[in-house]
Amino acid sequence: GAVVSQHPSWVICKSGTSVKIECRSLDFQATTMFWYRQFPKQSLMLMATSNEGSKATYEQGVEKDKFLINHASLTLSTLTVTSAHPEDSSFYICSASQGVEGKNEQYFGPGTRLTVT
Amino acid sequence: QKEVEQDPGPLSVPEGAIVSLNCTYSNSAFQYFMWYRQYSRKGPELLMYTYSSGNKEDGRFTAQVDKSSKYISLFIRDSQPSDSATYLCAMSRYQAGTALIFGKGTTLSVSS
């Protein structure tokens, strides 16, 4: 149980284009989903928290107009990197939580490696 | 001072050794503590989840939380080459639906 998938697992795009990454909870309903970015040999940096049906809460320093997050259902959240630049190249990981008392665990997706050329 | 401190290693041990991984934290409001294992180019996998102080055991893994010292540990007994990965501690203040604060991760290498 508690499986989270991400698609695509790897994407290369040209500078200036947009890329959409999907995060799905496969066997549970995720009230809350989180998006992280991880650079090589670094820890996970939280980008934003999204609750189903409401606007995402972005961490300080994360441009909400550049990283568009949509959490339209209890099993799907999407992250769109708009007008991507080479410095956006990173490993993007989502996690999902049931968001109920006693079930605070977060389960992570396998990650999406984005390379912007 | 960062909220969560974790020695990045690397830590190298022979197969069968007992491994001790640790994190310290500064915020006494943290109540939920987790350990994740992350293989290269993969998402983190939840290993252990504990609430408040105490010990929790699951197979070869034991998690300890000492809130008075703001110190958490993960012990791995009879370590195997397949345990070679990066281990991340994580913690949060509240229950459901709150973001985790991660340590930098400790890279472990178990040689056969």
Side-chain angles (χ1 to χ4, degrees), chain A residues 38 43 99 101 104 106 109-110 113, chain B residues 36 38 43 49 92 95-96 98 103:
Chain A
Q38 186 177 36
S43 191
E101 292 295 313
N104 191 36
Q106 287 186 28
R113 185 159 303 279
Chain B
Y36 286 86
Q38 186 177 25
Y49 174 80
S92 69
Q95 290 185 335
T98 53

Side-chain angles (χ1 to χ4, degrees), chain B residues 84-106:
Chain B
S84 299
T86 296
Y87 290 80
L88 298 147
C89 65
M91 45 200 79
S92 69
R93 301 177 185 85
Y94 307 115
Q95 290 185 335
T98 53
L100 301 177
I101 309 299
F102 281 89
K104 277 195 169 183
T106 300

